[in-house]
Structure formats: structure tokens, C-alpha cells
Amino acid sequence: MSPLSSLITIERTDRQSVYLQISNQIMVFIKDGILPADHRLPSTRELAGLLGVHRKTVVQAYDELLAQGWLESHTGRGTFVAANLPILKPSGIGSQPFTNGLKTAGFSLNPASYTERPIMSYGQGLHLDDGFPDVRLAPLEELSRAYRGQLLTGNAYTRLGYGDTKGSIWLRQQLSAYLNTSRGLHTTPENILIVRGTIMGLYLSSNGLISKGDSVVTGVTTWAGANTNFAQAGAKIHTIPVDEYGIDVDALESLCQNVKIRMVYVTSHHHYPTTVALRADRRMKLLKLAGQFGFVIFEDDYDYDFHYLSKPLLPLAGADPKGMVLYCGSFTKSIAPAFRVGYLVGAENVIDRFAGIRRIIDRQGDVVLENAIAELLQTGVIQRHMRKSLRTYRSRRDFFCELLGSELSQHITFQVPDGGLAVWAKFDKSVDMKAMSENAFRKGLGMSNGLGHGLPAGENFTRLGFASSNFQELEASVQILKGLLS
Amino acid sequence: MSPLSSLITIERTDRQSVYLQISNQIMVFIKDGILPADHRLPSTRELAGLLGVHRKTVVQAYDELLAQGWLESHTGRGTFVAANLPILKPSGIGSQPFTNGLKTAGFSLNPASYTERPIMSYGQGLHLDDGFPDVRLAPLEELSRAYRGQLLTGNAYTRLGYGDTKGSIWLRQQLSAYLNTSRGLHTTPENILIVRGTIMGLYLSSNGLISKGDSVVTGVTTWAGANTNFAQAGAKIHTIPVDEYGIDVDALESLCQNVKIRMVYVTSHHHYPTTVALRADRRMKLLKLAGQFGFVIFEDDYDYDFHYLSKPLLPLAGADPKGMVLYCGSFTKSIAPAFRVGYLVGAENVIDRFAGIRRIIDRQGDVVLENAIAELLQTGVIQRHMRKSLRTYRSRRDFFCELLGSELSQHITFQVPDGGLAVWAKFDKSVDMKAMSENAFRKGLGMSNGLGHGLPAGENFTRLGFASSNFQELEASVQILKGLLS
């Protein structure tokens, strides 16, 4: 009897198929010298009988090892451990039993170049979130149909092969027309890079424009995700105050007189997280300072579409003939966060450079999805959806702010926001925000504790997103909060 | 008569809507001091009449300017240029006429950190490409149905909200089981990061593990895209020879004795571009050297599924209990290049670190598509598709190699590849590869001139992809080549 059969163990409940279990174990025996070079193996019929498996399984296992060069077959004589294997009994390689799921790599990791922010989960129940859209309103049927059409129609080789790193030309054409008409921009499709949301616009801009030690200016408070991105690119971050009219551009001017500034990050339309709009004279001055001091303005227009006072302000990018502004927006709020399609707008030479960087990151976007969105823009589906959403969100804002006023005015103060999908709410100093948020989660209400906004201790602010909940859900959410605060 | 109406010009053919044309021009007049603070504007009715537009259009324009703070409305008295605007006549801001499509930004660009590779187009006609799959075979109907299901079914808030940076847990579960069973890996879902193709696996690995000046080893020849990625991370690239058994691991050993190596890049299964498999003893030695010298092995398994000799070799990653290997694959070749879904496999601490980097690049993948692919893996659609493709590609390989032998043996020599989707073809020294490729393109045949592989002048090699063409197309392609070479 061959000793081999007593060494091999087969776990039929294992995820790995039986032939691989056999071939892997034989490989280990060869590596470990248990089966020496030129050792003759039992015939497949013999081993199959001893192991109680189908002969075909052993044939598969041997074939595997033959293909890998561990075994040699000599016609008429049988199967042997290969003669020309290097004689090795490596320490640790192949001689340890494998367990699935290695925890730690054998090589070292460099220190991380930035601090990771925790990921907030709002759970599956009620939510007063960071200001997300209500994806139940999104034109998903239309999107599904358009996706199918783009997937199945036309020349498959070009449609489903490698595409343009700048993104679908159709989507860039549609977006160019849309942004020029509705937001007063001055673009051609060559001024547009399709990106995977604002975060990629920030990543490309940071890595394409910021050198280690360059100075970047953000407001206090601001979106921490932007700061993380600037930090990983090696930026030195300077901060300027934010008041009810947005960032303080006089403070920026003073700063510019002392420090060479490379980039200023601004959420001009609805300041994040406080929701206020940058006032017209400040916009003018910001543009003027950019021209004067030569800095880049990164205009993050994350929720342009949702403004409740007559018409929204136009972006800075529309009043920037010198090309100081990089303008970034996405379909995160106008369709759903899961669709990672956004746009970065700038002068052609910048867009070209960023496309070159993008090429080595992920080569290109999702051209099928991009074309589906282009179709929905061309047919006006997205525009209609946004008008409908705007009306819905305005009524939810009004309903929610009334509720907050009538039910929670003892604990929460706030301004009714002119736009955006969240209320910037100040909680009473006595509230332990962290405990409140954790207790809310236990009661089925997801909400942020606001600590990620980097305010001083005792400054109890957080964003309460109202757009993703209907009236009943808003009512139930406020009742949970009321129960916790009373 | 107000002078305003004579200053405003309206282009009805312009992409910009009429109200925006009006409001933008008025804004410029205010900025330029043509309309001073407190200046009274004509009534909307009056201006509408003078401009020959609907009154509603002028109301919209004024509303825009009121919202932006350029104008003030005093009930009963009319509309005025705002009193509290800063007095400014900025040089260049707003005073220049806009033309769509700025070419050059107003800020400077840093020098690029690497040389961009040209993008090869194979056109819309015939193609002997780099080794792409035939997307006409892909299970697009099934994919479309699965996509629709994932888009429309379940809790929309969680399904279409922000998701896990590591990728769909369902896809990671399916992939873990699939990779363990079919490729002998030892993974749990926590060892898998869903990426947007191999290029993102390389980008994360380069930026996560390589510090400026670190040494990386690649073969000569190799995939230039990998070198670009290592170069942008600041790596010093060392090369070792490649022969008919893959990279020369003895040369690697000598190198390791002199230089501290951080990473070795290997296409172990089908060396790119030459298609040969790394021999079993070299695989063993490579793993042993990684353990001994502490370097990372980046195993790019770009077309594992397509091997025509019994069973494919198993990946290095399956014989790596120490965790020296990062294993990367994608659905580029098994579905289509347009679907940017791949997987990076490694120890948990590495996957966690890379997920942190990914979070600031694009936050997450396309979870709807990822779930659709998970469904197709679970139901076996992708596995069946790959088995069918393998048979088809094998017959195309045989057909194509016979054609090359019978029609072009005077000009081309090659080995029949054991796997992969392309033939590594050596053209006669007399052939001007660049001219031939350009002439072929003019005749409707897309093919690479092979110069991107970085071979010495006169070494006339290129890849001729056979998988994406059927017999008729292969026949027609070879006839075009024959015409050009005769």
C-alpha cells in the first residue's frame, strides 16, 4: 500500500474542490521532500480506490501537477515526481498548513500619509443623514432601460472595449450644453473630465496641482473629506473663518499677503456643513484675489440643484474668463450616491493633465452608465426629476423645520436653510452628542454626532438631512429625538 | 429710453438661455461701473419691450441678479443696483467677453511626474488587437437583467446609498469561494478589495507600498502600463531577462544580493507580452526569494481563465502562506474591458490599508454592477461563459496560427501560445512596423506596431490578438496583412 493515501486528507465540506485538495497536498509533500525526485506515484486507479474518490478526480489532480511541472509522466511506466525540480526544502513555503484568510502580510507597510476618517453608517431604518437625496424618487426605471439599451445596441467591440479616459463623449456633450445653459458656464466637451464623484475631482486636483508643502486654504468649518485629500497630497492647510455669508475673503486676502497660496477650497453655493451661500460681493472678491495672487479655486458645487429661493446663484466658474476655477459637481445628489458619476470642469490643459493621471488610476469610467446618463440628460428625464425633487425637498424642508421648531425648540436652534438637503442644527450645550447619536441608532434612527466637523468641544452642531425621508419618517425621527432629549 | 437696452445683445442661437444672457451682461455692466450703485433699472415690462423678449424672461434675469445680490428691489419704487457692493473695477474679471472653451488655465501646472503612454485605437473595423476578448460572446442579456434587478429590488436607501469601500460584500463572498475553488487561493472576503481593473490594483499597490526611490523589478519585456505606475510612485525600476520560461529568477536573486528590492512585478500565468508561463521551479524560487529578501510579489493574473493545456497553472498566491503576494485579476477579459471590475487579493492588513487609499480616490465602486456580477457568479453564468469562451478561443487560436503559418510564414515567426488571447509574433527585420501598422489601419485593420513594448530597434515583435475575431474576420485580417507584406 502506498503511504501517500494515508497522508492525504479530504474534506468534502471544504470550499476547495477535491482534486485541488489532492494536488495541493501532493505538492506540499514534494516541496517538503516527503516525495523525493523520481519517486513513482500510485496509479490513478489505485489512489482513487484508496481515497474513495472517483478515478477522474485523481486524474485531474495528477494533470494539475503535470501541468505545473511537479510530476512527469513516462509512457508505459507511470507517473513520477519530476527529476529536474530544484532540491529545496524552503523554510515556511508550502510546509505550513494553509488556513483561509491571512491577517497580516509578510512585508512591511509604510506609515499612512493621512488619518482615515471613520465611515458613518445611517443604518437601514430612519435617518437624519448628512444630506442625502431620496433615491426612491430617482428615475430608476428610465435608468435601467437606458442602461440596457447602451449595453445591447451598436458596435459591441467599440462600445464595450476600452474607451476615452475623459469619459463618454456623448455625456460630455450633454453636460457641456446643460452646464452652459442652466449654470452659466462656458464650456466645450474638452473642458470636462467625467470623474467618479467629487472625491475623485478633489483627488486629481490635489495630486495634479499640489506639491508637498504647498499651502491650501479651507474654511472653518469645512468638509473634512477635502482636507484629507489635501493632506495626503502633502499640503499645508490654512483656515479662514466662515460666517453667515460663507468664507471670510478679507481674511483670505490678509493670508495671501503673507503666504503663497496654491489652492482655495470653497463650497460656494451651500457652504458645507453650514449650508449658507457665499455672498455676491465675496464671490467677486474671491475671483479677484485668485487672479491677483494666482491661486486655484476648487469650487465644490455638491448640491447646486437644490436651492429654494427663486433661482440659485450661478457658480464662480461662470465668471472666470482667466481660468482660475476648477468646478466640480456630480450626480450623487441628483440620482443616487451609488452612481459614481461626476464632472470636473476646467481649462483644456488642466483637463488633459488630469486625464493622464486618471489613466493610471482606473483607466476610464463606466462608459455604459455614462452613456445611459447622457441619454437621460438628452431626453430631459434628469432635469424633470430634479425639478420634481426640488419641490419635494422644499416641502420636506418646510415640514421638518416646523417640526423642529414646535417639538424641539428647547434643545435645538437653527436657521431655515435656503438650499441644500440638510439643516445645520445647534444642540443645547447640555447634550452629549456622541451618546445621543448612539442612543438614536439603537432606537432605529441613524444620525451623525457632528464631531467629524472639527468644532471645539461644547459646540454642539450637526447636520440633519431631511431630503431622504418623507413626512411620516421625518415625524417619527423627530419623535425619537424628542424622546432622547427630554 | 434706457441706455441699458442698447448695450444688451441677445443671441438666440446661443446655447445659453436668453435670461442668463441678459443677467450676465447686466452683471458685467455693474462690475465695470457702467451701472453704478443705486442706479434704477428699467421696469421688467419696459426692458422686455425694448429687447423684444417675453416679460417673464426679464423677470427671470432680474430675479437671478437679485438672488446674487447685484440688484435690490424696493417695493413700490423699482429695482436698483445694490448699494452695498464693493466698489471695484477688477482688471480682467467679468470685463472680458466670454468664449466657450478655455484652452489654458490661469494657474501653472507642475511638471508631470511620468511620461504618458499613447492610447492605441484599433478602430471600428477588423482588428488584431492586444488580446481583447470577444465581447459579442459576453452574457450581456443576463448582465442587463441582473443589473435591473439590483437597481430596482430591495431597500433603496441602503442599496443606492454610500457603500463599502472594499466593494460589494456579496461579490467578495462569491469571488472568495470562486478563487479558492478554481485557483487554489486561501481567501476570506476580507482578503479581497474590489478594484476598477488591474490598473487600480497597481495604482493602490504602488502608492500604498512604494516610497520614492524604492526599487521595483520587472522583466524585459513587460507591460509598460505597470512601469508607468511604478514610475509615478517614485520607484527606481530594475529589469531582469525574460526567456521562454518567464522571468529569470536567478538574475533576480543576484539583484537581491546587491539591492534592497521592494516589489517584483510578474505576469506569472501568461507573461506579458510574450505569453509564456512561469515554470514551476521558477515559481517556487520566486516565492522563496520573496520570503528571504522581504519583497512584495505583485502577481498580475490578467487572463488566467484562458489556458489551453489541460488545467492552467495555479497562481503563486495559492502557495504563499507568508503573505508576500498581492494577487490581481479582473473581469476585463472574462466579460468586457468596459466593465471596470477587478479584485486585489492580499492579507487583511494590506487590503484595509488600500481601502483607506481608495476611499479618497473614488470612495467606492459601482455597487449595482458589482452585485449584478455577484449574481452571475452565484448562478454560474460567468463560469459557463468562460468555459464556452475558452473553447471558442482555442479554436480561433488554432485557426489563426494555421493561417499565419500557411499565409505569412515568410514574414512572421511565432510559437503557438499555450494560453492567452494573443500570439507574440516576430516580423521579418525588413518590415517597417510603424508603416505597416499605419497602412493596415488605412485598410481597415487595427493592429499595434509593437513599439510600445520597448524592444531594441530592429526587434520586430508585436502581439496579434485572435480572440476578438471570428474565423471570417481572422481570414480577412490575415489577407490584409499578407497584401501589405508582399
Side-chain angles (χ1 to χ4, degrees):
Chain A
M1 189 192 278
S2 162
L4 194 55
S5 62
S6 60
L7 291 172
I8 293 173
T9 55
I10 293 170
E11 295 287 344
R12 287 181 194 280
T13 54
D14 199 332
R15 274 178 166 162
Q16 201 172 53
S17 58
V18 172
Y19 89 87
L20 278 179
Q21 293 185 41
I22 296 172
S23 62
N24 278 344
Q25 289 178 68
I26 293 177
M27 184 167 64
V28 171
F29 303 145
I30 297 173
K31 285 182 193 167
D32 286 358
I34 295 167
L35 295 176
D38 291 325
H39 176 89
R40 184 179 179 282
L41 269 71
S43 74
T44 53
R45 190 179 307 271
E46 187 185 349
L47 187 57
L50 291 167
L51 294 174
V53 300
H54 197 283
R55 187 182 157 216
K56 215 174 81 182
T57 306
V58 179
V59 171
Q60 267 190 302
Y62 279 19
D63 278 351
E64 182 70 47
L65 294 164
L66 287 164
Q68 294 193 33
W70 296 104
L71 300 182
E72 291 170 353
S73 174
H74 301 290
T75 320
R77 295 202 296 128
T79 306
F80 298 81
V81 176
N84 67 349
L85 284 178
I87 297 153
L88 43 80
K89 194 174 177 333
S91 54
I93 292 176
S95 58
Q96 297 164 354
F98 283 108
T99 45
N100 286 355
L102 213 51
K103 300 278 180 201
T104 313
F107 48 83
S108 61
L109 295 184
N110 304 342
S113 64
Y114 59 93
T115 310
E116 228 183 293
R117 293 176 305 127
I119 287 187
M120 170 74 204
S121 165
Y122 295 97
Q124 306 206 6
L126 297 167
H127 35 76
L128 295 171
D129 54 36
D130 194 53
F132 301 159
D134 189 343
V135 295
R136 295 170 296 195
L137 306 177
L140 300 180
E141 263 301 342
E142 293 88 337
L143 184 60
S144 168
R145 268 200 299 275
Y147 189 88
R148 180 186 167 78
Q150 293 309 318
L151 190 60
L152 298 174
T153 321
N155 180 332
Y157 187 75
T158 48
R159 196 180 72 247
L160 301 179
Y162 290 103
D164 191 334
T165 298
K166 287 184 188 167
S168 148
I169 181 64
W170 189 18
L171 180 56
R172 289 188 288 131
Q173 285 162 346
Q174 288 299 319
L175 265 176
S176 173
Y178 172 72
L179 295 173
N180 292 356
T181 311
S182 69
R183 303 191 190 178
L185 302 200
H186 302 273
T187 65
T188 71
E190 297 309 308
N191 295 119
I192 297 177
L193 181 71
I194 304 299
V195 292
R196 291 176 53 72
T198 304
I199 191 82
M200 185 180 260
L202 273 166
Y203 186 80
L204 293 171
S205 302
S206 300
N207 289 280
L209 296 176
I210 297 171
S211 305
K212 196 169 161 58
D214 277 357
S215 288
V216 172
V217 178
T218 65
V220 163
T221 60
T222 187
W223 183 46
N227 281 358
T228 305
N229 232 318
F230 299 136
Q232 62 83 28
K236 177 164 165 37
I237 294 174
H238 304 260
T239 56
I240 51 176
V242 174
D243 62 21
E244 67 268 40
Y245 303 113
I247 55 169
D248 180 343
V249 289
D250 293 329
L252 175 61
E253 184 172 26
S254 307
L255 186 60
C256 286
Q257 279 152 359
N258 293 308
V259 181
K260 171 75 189 156
I261 301 299
R262 177 57 164 162
M263 192 181 289
V264 173
Y265 172 78
V266 62
T267 42
S268 49
H269 199 229
H270 301 134
H271 184 79
Y272 187 95
T274 69
T275 80
V276 300
L278 189 62
R279 204 173 56 193
D281 58 322
R282 293 196 183 181
R283 288 168 180 250
M284 285 293 304
K285 181 156 183 179
L286 179 56
L287 281 170
K288 173 171 163 273
L289 292 175
Q292 184 179 343
F293 292 103
F295 59 74
V296 184
I297 298 173
F298 189 99
E299 185 175 24
D300 175 354
D301 213 4
Y302 64 103
D303 62 359
Y304 179 84
D305 298 302
F306 304 114
H307 199 80
Y308 311 117
L309 293 180
S310 73
K311 279 276 162 182
L313 290 165
L314 293 180
L316 292 170
D320 169 43
K322 277 197 175 172
M324 307 309 293
V325 177
L326 291 171
Y327 179 80
C328 199
S330 84
F331 292 96
T332 297
K333 306 290 187 287
S334 54
I335 303 180
F339 298 101
R340 311 300 303 152
V341 179
Y343 37 91
L344 186 64
V345 178
E348 281 185 32
N349 68 330
V350 184
I351 296 302
D352 285 346
R353 171 64 67 84
F354 289 178
I357 301 174
R358 167 127 203 216
R359 185 156 177 234
I360 61 168
I361 295 176
D362 71 342
R363 180 62 179 78
Q364 65 185 74
D366 299 277
V367 70
V368 177
L369 180 61
E370 286 172 15
N371 282 334
I373 291 177
E375 184 182 322
L376 297 192
L377 272 176
Q378 184 166 320
T379 52
V381 169
I382 287 179
Q383 294 88 325
R384 277 194 298 280
H385 162 63
M386 288 193 288
R387 284 194 295 273
K388 184 182 137 195
S389 302
L390 182 66
R391 282 196 303 274
T392 306
Y393 296 160
R394 184 194 284 119
S395 68
R396 288 179 182 175
R397 175 198 66 164
D398 295 343
F399 181 83
F400 182 60
C401 288
E402 259 185 55
L403 263 182
L404 286 184
S406 64
E407 301 292 302
L408 293 171
S409 60
Q410 280 184 290
H411 312 286
I412 297 179
T413 52
F414 63 95
Q415 298 283 322
V416 177
D418 292 339
L421 308 181
V423 167
W424 181 236
K426 181 175 192 173
F427 284 68
D428 189 82
K429 278 196 193 306
S430 65
V431 176
D432 178 340
M433 296 294 283
K434 191 162 174 294
M436 178 193 64
S437 156
E438 287 165 5
N439 289 331
F441 201 83
R442 274 191 281 274
K443 291 193 177 299
L445 170 64
M447 61 176 292
S448 162
N449 58 29
L451 301 180
H453 297 305
L455 290 161
E459 288 279 348
N460 281 350
F461 280 92
T462 196
R463 279 166 70 91
L464 301 176
F466 54 79
S468 58
S469 306
N470 61 30
F471 286 2
Q472 289 75 11
E473 291 159 346
L474 289 170
E475 174 83 50
S477 300
V478 168
Q479 288 310 322
I480 289 176
L481 258 190
K482 189 176 180 184
L484 291 173
L485 290 171
S486 300
Chain B
M1 187 192 278
S2 163
L4 193 55
S5 62
S6 61
L7 290 173
I8 293 174
T9 55
I10 293 170
E11 295 288 345
R12 287 182 193 278
T13 54
D14 199 333
R15 275 180 167 160
Q16 201 171 55
S17 59
V18 172
Y19 89 86
L20 278 179
Q21 295 184 42
I22 297 172
S23 62
N24 279 343
Q25 290 178 69
I26 294 177
M27 184 168 65
V28 170
F29 303 145
I30 298 173
K31 286 182 193 166
D32 287 357
I34 295 168
L35 295 176
D38 291 325
H39 176 88
R40 185 180 180 282
L41 268 71
S43 74
T44 53
R45 190 177 308 270
E46 186 185 350
L47 187 58
L50 291 167
L51 293 176
V53 301
H54 197 283
R55 185 181 158 217
K56 216 174 81 182
T57 307
V58 179
V59 171
Q60 267 191 302
Y62 280 20
D63 278 352
E64 181 70 48
L65 294 164
L66 286 163
Q68 295 193 31
W70 297 105
L71 299 182
E72 291 170 352
S73 174
H74 301 292
T75 319
R77 294 202 296 129
T79 306
F80 298 80
V81 175
N84 67 350
L85 284 179
I87 297 152
L88 43 80
K89 196 175 175 332
S91 54
I93 292 175
S95 58
Q96 298 163 353
F98 283 108
T99 46
N100 285 355
L102 213 52
K103 300 278 180 201
T104 313
F107 49 82
S108 60
L109 295 183
N110 304 342
S113 64
Y114 59 94
T115 311
E116 228 183 290
R117 292 175 305 128
I119 288 187
M120 170 74 204
S121 165
Y122 295 97
Q124 305 205 7
L126 297 167
H127 35 76
L128 295 172
D129 54 35
D130 194 53
F132 300 160
D134 189 343
V135 294
R136 294 171 298 194
L137 306 177
L140 300 180
E141 262 302 340
E142 292 89 337
L143 183 61
S144 168
R145 269 200 298 276
Y147 190 89
R148 179 185 168 79
Q150 292 309 317
L151 190 60
L152 298 174
T153 322
N155 179 332
Y157 187 75
T158 48
R159 196 181 71 248
L160 301 180
Y162 290 103
D164 191 334
T165 298
K166 287 184 188 168
S168 148
I169 181 64
W170 189 18
L171 180 55
R172 288 188 289 130
Q173 285 162 346
Q174 288 299 319
L175 265 176
S176 173
Y178 172 72
L179 295 173
N180 291 356
T181 311
S182 69
R183 304 191 190 179
L185 302 199
H186 302 274
T187 65
T188 71
E190 297 310 307
N191 295 120
I192 298 176
L193 180 71
I194 305 299
V195 291
R196 291 176 53 72
T198 304
I199 191 82
M200 184 180 260
L202 274 166
Y203 185 81
L204 292 171
S205 302
S206 300
N207 289 280
L209 296 176
I210 296 172
S211 304
K212 197 169 160 56
D214 276 358
S215 288
V216 172
V217 179
T218 64
V220 164
T221 60
T222 187
W223 183 45
N227 280 359
T228 304
N229 231 319
F230 299 136
Q232 63 82 28
K236 178 165 165 32
I237 294 173
H238 304 261
T239 55
I240 51 175
V242 173
D243 63 20
E244 66 268 40
Y245 303 112
I247 55 169
D248 180 344
V249 289
D250 294 328
L252 175 61
E253 185 172 26
S254 306
L255 186 61
C256 286
Q257 279 151 0
N258 294 306
V259 181
K260 172 76 188 155
I261 301 299
R262 177 58 164 162
M263 192 182 289
V264 174
Y265 172 78
V266 61
T267 43
S268 48
H269 198 229
H270 301 134
H271 185 78
Y272 186 94
T274 69
T275 79
V276 300
L278 189 62
R279 203 173 57 193
D281 59 323
R282 293 197 183 180
R283 288 167 180 249
M284 285 292 305
K285 182 155 182 179
L286 178 56
L287 280 171
K288 174 171 162 273
L289 292 176
Q292 184 179 344
F293 292 103
F295 58 75
V296 184
I297 299 173
F298 189 98
E299 185 175 25
D300 175 353
D301 213 3
Y302 64 104
D303 63 358
Y304 178 83
D305 298 301
F306 304 114
H307 198 80
Y308 310 117
L309 292 180
S310 73
K311 279 276 163 185
L313 290 165
L314 293 180
L316 292 169
D320 169 43
K322 276 196 175 173
M324 308 308 292
V325 177
L326 291 172
Y327 178 78
C328 198
S330 84
F331 293 95
T332 298
K333 305 290 188 287
S334 54
I335 303 180
F339 298 101
R340 312 300 303 153
V341 178
Y343 38 89
L344 186 65
V345 179
E348 281 184 35
N349 68 330
V350 184
I351 295 303
D352 285 347
R353 171 65 66 86
F354 289 178
I357 302 175
R358 166 126 204 216
R359 185 158 176 233
I360 61 168
I361 295 175
D362 71 344
R363 180 61 180 79
Q364 65 184 76
D366 299 277
V367 70
V368 177
L369 181 61
E370 287 172 14
N371 282 333
I373 291 177
E375 185 182 322
L376 297 192
L377 273 176
Q378 185 165 320
T379 52
V381 169
I382 287 179
Q383 294 88 327
R384 278 195 298 280
H385 162 64
M386 288 192 288
R387 284 194 295 273
K388 184 181 136 197
S389 302
L390 182 65
R391 283 197 302 276
T392 306
Y393 296 160
R394 184 194 284 118
S395 67
R396 288 180 181 175
R397 174 198 66 165
D398 295 342
F399 181 83
F400 183 60
C401 288
E402 259 184 53
L403 264 181
L404 286 184
S406 64
E407 301 292 302
L408 293 171
S409 60
Q410 281 184 289
H411 311 286
I412 297 179
T413 53
F414 63 96
Q415 298 282 323
V416 177
D418 291 338
L421 308 180
V423 167
W424 181 237
K426 181 175 192 173
F427 284 67
D428 190 81
K429 277 196 192 306
S430 66
V431 176
D432 178 340
M433 297 294 283
K434 191 162 174 293
M436 179 193 63
S437 155
E438 287 165 4
N439 290 331
F441 201 82
R442 274 190 282 275
K443 292 194 177 297
L445 170 65
M447 63 176 290
S448 162
N449 58 29
L451 301 179
H453 298 306
L455 290 161
E459 288 277 349
N460 282 351
F461 281 91
T462 196
R463 280 167 68 91
L464 300 176
F466 54 80
S468 58
S469 306
N470 61 30
F471 286 2
Q472 289 76 11
E473 291 159 347
L474 289 170
E475 173 83 50
S477 300
V478 168
Q479 288 310 322
I480 289 176
L481 259 190
K482 191 178 179 183
L484 290 172
L485 291 170
S486 300

